[in-house]
Amino acid sequence: MKNLSILVVLMLLLTVSCTTKKTSITKPNIIYIMSDDHCAQAIGAYKMRLAELNPTPTIDRIAKEGILFQNAFCTNAICTPSRASILTGQYSQTNGVMDLSGRIGADKQYLPKELKKLGYETAMVGKWHLKEAPEAFDYYNVLPGQGDYHNPTLYARTGNSLSTIRFEEDLVRDVYATKYEGHSSDVITNLSIDWLKNKRDKSKPFFLMHHFKAPHDFFEYADRYNNYLEDTFIPEPESMWDNKNNGSLATRGINDCWIDTIGSSIGHRNVIRNMGMHMEIDPTIPDPEYKHLAYQEYLKRYLRCVKGVDDNVSRLFQYLEENDLMDNTIIIYTGDQGFMLGEHDYIDKRWMYEESMRMPFLVRYPEKIKAGTSTDAIINNVDFAPTIIDLAGGKTPEYMQGDSFKQILFSGKEPEAWKQATYYRYWMHMAHKHNNPAHFGIRTKQYKLIFFYGRDYKARNTAAQKWAHNPESMSDFETIPAWEFYDLANDPHEMNNLYGNETFKDVIADLKIQLKDMRASINEEDGNYPAIQQIIDAHWND
């Protein structure tokens, strides 16, 4: 009888042990794949004007086998602030990263810290762009700053020798840096696969942030894509040739006096920075031929970088499939913001216009997400960290400002009282010769309201950014404050600024109330910037 009792106890202990082990290994792995400046219009699954070129068959597979978000937005369309919001679950003024000079130390690298509490092995590979090393991750191997396209150097926690790298004027560090041969998209994928295969703790679920440098400018693609799309005509956006009633005094100036300066262009319109200069098109060729040549070359280089990203996502998928990891891994694909591919005759990002503000966001997890799902629910990049934590079995920390949309992922439907609007703010002003005025605004499913207040939030050394109009005057940097309003339901390409139209008087008034309340609730007011607040107060009721 005694022996039987001992046997029963042993069997119970074995059962508990097996159950515990099963629970730990059935937690989903999570791979967060992000490309730099990869916009929705350059992903086939979004069925926009470039879809006919079939630019992303592998990324499209995520949408086919998972869910696609039509209304995913960034809160600040510039690399460093967007990445900071993704990592912290906070808006720019709360996490302290408003522009490209911002940095996130290990104490604020909240997402990996929270996932490690939940038992995850964490890794960060590729473009980091947050200055301080990603020390909160168990493993990292990242580009210093922007990094190189070809034969890139990456730095890690350990290595054979230290190298001195300047990350900012006031931030110089000795790091373990290694130079790798090949194109950055290939190298970053090699490193991620190597970590998955050889370096991680395989007794734990993993969280991998796999970040490509591509297709960030200046669009240096791998040599094997030299002939890709060579003889193909790339569809051109109508607004590149005729911008109609897009914009305002803030973006065009009185009698269009600033259109040669504000917003870098494809063709000759902008005399300071245009894509023809970057593509080395003969400047003596007049528009429209100069613009056409610049656009075609620009898009081919951009899409060749995208092709390299898609092919490397395929390599990553192949590894997961060959090692029985594909279906127990939540796969997320996104960009760090959108990008202007000639729309409104603009390049780069920064704008609150759709192509810049919208982020592609696709998720595959066959155990919980129905294949072929699409949703128009509004999410933004502040929501990413809370959602990933929720998917990992945790709860959103109180210090995060975003909301988990796990329920939308699993059901395809918005929960009751889900947000119906999102906030945006571009804090920089007339920077890097792209010359975008500072602005903020609100975007609902139907409408968009933007206020261009036209002043930088801090004093800078702007000597390199003086205007061609009056290079001796710093006051020229205070552009004209103005409002823009778009009825997206009837004007999805934002070709007709209807601010001041009596038909929408009540709609605009309501949006201003929502915008004011939203700014207060997410700590995006301007109490710390009285000069900006003065402009807001003076023009709120224009």
Side-chain angles (χ1 to χ4, degrees):
M1 190 69 177
K2 184 178 179 181
N3 290 339
L4 180 60
S5 298
I6 293 173
L7 181 61
V8 169
V9 171
L10 288 172
M11 290 180 67
L12 286 171
L13 288 172
L14 182 61
T15 301
V16 170
S17 175
C18 289
T19 302
T20 304
K21 185 177 181 182
K22 184 177 180 181
T23 301
S24 67
I25 64 171
T26 56
K27 219 169 192 181
N29 304 306
I30 304 169
I31 297 183
Y32 178 92
I33 308 171
M34 187 162 73
S35 297
D36 194 315
D37 295 342
H38 193 185
C39 53
Q41 61 268 36
I43 292 178
Y46 278 88
K47 300 179 181 178
M48 297 183 183
R49 61 187 171 83
L50 300 176
E52 64 188 61
L53 302 175
N54 191 28
T56 52
T58 305
I59 296 167
D60 295 349
R61 177 186 167 186
I62 303 174
K64 184 178 179 181
E65 299 175 3
I67 186 170
L68 179 148
F69 282 79
Q70 298 284 356
N71 286 329
F73 301 105
C74 62
T75 53
N76 186 351
I78 195 73
C79 297
T80 308
S82 177
R83 292 164 190 269
S85 288
I86 290 165
L87 201 70
T88 63
Q90 297 173 337
Y91 289 86
S92 293
Q93 194 161 187
T94 298
N95 64 39
V97 180
M98 280 91 90
D99 60 25
L100 291 176
S101 65
R103 60 189 72 169
I104 292 288
D107 59 324
K108 287 189 176 181
Q109 294 167 18
Y110 297 133
L111 181 54
K113 288 166 74 78
E114 294 295 336
L115 290 175
K116 285 166 74 172
K117 292 178 187 177
L118 297 169
Y120 275 75
E121 181 87 355
T122 61
M124 167 69 223
V125 179
K127 183 174 176 182
W128 170 242
H129 215 232
L130 289 168
K131 314 301 189 297
E132 303 287 354
E135 292 291 347
F137 290 83
D138 295 301
Y139 170 87
Y140 65 84
N141 207 337
V142 295
L143 295 165
Q146 191 61 251
D148 296 320
Y149 262 117
H150 296 282
N151 302 325
T153 295
L154 290 90
Y155 70 96
R157 179 173 284 113
T158 59
N160 295 324
S161 61
L162 288 167
S163 300
T164 301
I165 293 179
R166 182 179 298 277
F167 292 84
E168 284 284 310
E169 286 301 315
D170 63 341
L171 183 60
V172 179
R173 296 204 315 273
D174 289 337
V175 296
Y176 288 104
T178 302
K179 188 169 185 176
Y180 297 86
E181 291 187 5
H183 190 271
S184 66
S185 296
D186 302 334
V187 169
I188 289 165
T189 303
N190 292 343
L191 291 170
S192 283
I193 291 174
D194 179 59
W195 178 78
L196 288 167
K197 184 177 180 180
N198 300 314
K199 293 184 170 64
R200 67 185 173 93
D201 181 347
K202 295 183 181 179
S203 70
K204 295 181 179 181
F206 63 79
F207 172 64
L208 167 63
M209 299 192 87
H210 175 89
H211 291 186
F212 292 103
K213 170 182 170 62
H216 190 278
D217 66 7
F218 294 96
F219 322 116
E220 297 176 27
Y221 49 87
D223 289 344
R224 62 183 179 274
Y225 300 116
N226 283 338
N227 297 321
Y228 176 63
L229 299 174
E230 181 64 26
D231 299 319
T232 302
F233 173 80
I234 311 298
E236 298 174 350
E238 292 182 14
S239 61
M240 185 176 80
W241 298 104
D242 183 0
N243 204 21
K244 299 189 184 300
N245 191 39
N246 168 270
S248 60
L249 288 176
T251 64
R252 305 173 73 108
I254 298 171
N255 296 322
D256 286 350
C257 66
W258 287 346
I259 63 170
D260 64 349
T261 303
I262 289 181
S264 46
S265 63
I266 301 294
H268 283 302
R269 174 184 60 79
N270 191 308
V271 298
I272 298 172
R273 185 168 186 170
N274 65 63
M275 190 53 74
M277 297 174 181
H278 296 324
M279 299 297 104
E280 299 179 337
I281 306 300
D282 182 351
T284 66
I285 299 174
D287 282 340
E289 181 64 13
Y290 177 85
K291 181 188 284 190
H292 169 73
L293 291 172
Y295 177 82
Q296 292 296 317
E297 183 63 22
Y298 166 32
L299 264 289
K300 287 175 182 178
R301 293 188 191 184
Y302 179 90
L303 291 172
R304 286 166 185 160
C305 285
V306 168
K307 175 67 171 170
V309 166
D310 194 74
D311 286 348
N312 274 289
V313 172
S314 179
R315 289 179 58 215
L316 195 57
F317 284 9
Q318 182 179 351
Y319 174 82
L320 295 175
E321 287 170 331
E322 289 175 351
N323 290 273
D324 198 26
L325 292 168
M326 190 72 175
D327 288 345
N328 189 39
T329 299
I330 298 169
I331 298 171
I332 300 167
Y333 185 87
T334 185
D336 54 350
Q337 63 260 323
F339 206 68
M340 309 299 293
L341 297 180
E343 297 86 3
H344 307 294
D345 191 32
Y346 291 140
I347 60 176
D348 202 62
K349 48 264 187 176
R350 305 167 192 262
W351 297 105
M352 195 181 164
Y353 300 135
E354 288 293 280
E355 296 83 5
S356 169
M357 180 185 183
R358 173 177 281 118
M359 305 172 76
F361 198 84
L362 311 94
V363 187
R364 180 190 187 275
Y365 184 39
E367 182 177 323
K368 296 288 186 179
I369 297 174
K370 183 180 178 182
T373 304
S374 179
T375 176
D376 69 349
I378 290 176
I379 62 171
N380 66 45
N381 56 349
V382 175
D383 299 322
F384 293 0
T387 303
I388 292 169
I389 292 167
D390 196 1
L391 289 167
K395 293 183 179 180
T396 303
E398 290 186 3
Y399 60 78
M400 288 191 176
Q401 297 172 293
D403 301 300
S404 170
F405 51 85
K406 184 177 80 169
Q407 186 174 335
I408 301 173
L409 286 171
F410 290 176
S411 69
K413 299 177 182 178
E414 297 177 36
E416 190 174 344
W418 184 254
K419 71 182 73 176
Q420 296 300 302
T422 189
Y423 179 76
Y424 180 91
R425 182 165 190 176
Y426 175 65
W427 285 83
M428 300 176 76
H429 177 65
M430 305 302 290
H432 308 142
K433 298 184 181 180
H434 289 295
N435 288 348
N436 297 37
H439 56 286
F440 61 74
I442 185 172
R443 203 264 196 208
T444 70
K445 289 183 180 179
Q446 185 167 354
Y447 303 115
K448 182 181 292 183
L449 181 68
I450 311 172
F451 179 55
F452 289 90
Y453 56 89
R455 184 185 179 114
D456 204 348
Y457 75 99
K458 66 180 179 181
R460 300 174 191 267
N461 176 11
T462 53
Q465 300 176 17
K466 294 180 182 180
W467 285 30
H469 294 74
N470 187 359
E472 301 303 319
S473 174
M474 289 298 175
S475 65
D476 278 343
F477 282 89
E478 297 180 24
T479 53
I480 299 173
W483 291 90
E484 295 181 19
F485 168 79
Y486 297 97
D487 176 9
L488 300 173
N490 297 297
D491 179 24
H493 301 299
E494 298 167 307
M495 299 304 296
N496 189 18
N497 176 13
L498 292 170
Y499 190 82
N501 187 308
E502 282 295 312
T503 302
F504 295 97
K505 180 180 179 180
D506 292 340
V507 171
I508 292 171
D510 179 65
L511 287 172
K512 285 187 178 182
I513 293 171
Q514 291 186 54
L515 178 56
K516 186 175 182 179
D517 290 345
M518 185 179 288
R519 278 166 52 79
S521 69
I522 61 175
N523 187 35
E524 281 290 311
E525 294 181 296
D526 285 275
N528 294 325
Y529 308 102
I532 294 175
Q533 188 60 52
Q534 184 177 2
I535 295 171
I536 295 170
D537 293 341
H539 295 276
W540 191 260
N541 295 316
D542 283 359

